[in-house]
Amino acid sequence: MTLFASLKATPGVILIYGVLGLAGFLGPPLVGLLAPAYGELVLKLLIAYAALILSFLGGARWGLAASGPSPSPITISLAMLPTLFALAIVMLPMSARVWQIGALVLGLALQWLWDVRARGLPVWYPGLRTLLSGGAIAGLVAGALFLQT
């Protein structure tokens, strides 16, 4: 299924909230460009938001796996890793913000790879995850480029 066809097949409410969720990734770099005095604050916001979303994605996979009659222990275990990974990232000192952003990009990319290769997900899900993960990663890269103080 093409990306466009996948997005067209995505339930409207999911697509709308997903796209609106990109504001948390794309807004901070924009605010940092327009109001550099807030650069440090919006960088913290960007890192925290990315960690929350990574955790959310793991939770979504956990919920999907848990909804079946016999959840796979491997899937349940793997679905918990994004939350633990995100927590470890946000606990790093802000002096490690480049590492935090790089780790979040890696985490989101790995989650995307898992999501687009997994079986048993709705046919539209890989396309949605491609759009949203791409936007999230672009926002993090923009944050790394424009919000360093």
Side-chain angles (χ1 to χ4, degrees), residues 54-55 58 75-87 111 114:
L54 183 57
S55 178
T75 302
I76 293 291
S77 298
L78 288 174
M80 294 177 71
L81 291 178
T83 298
L84 299 173
F85 185 71
L87 177 62
Q111 182 70 44
W114 185 25

Side-chain angles (χ1 to χ4, degrees), residues 117-145:
R117 299 179 126 226
R119 299 177 199 266
L121 297 176
V123 68
W124 49 263
Y125 197 72
L128 177 69
R129 291 298 335 127
T130 297
L131 172 70
L132 299 180
S133 294
I137 289 169
L140 285 166
V141 170
L145 294 174

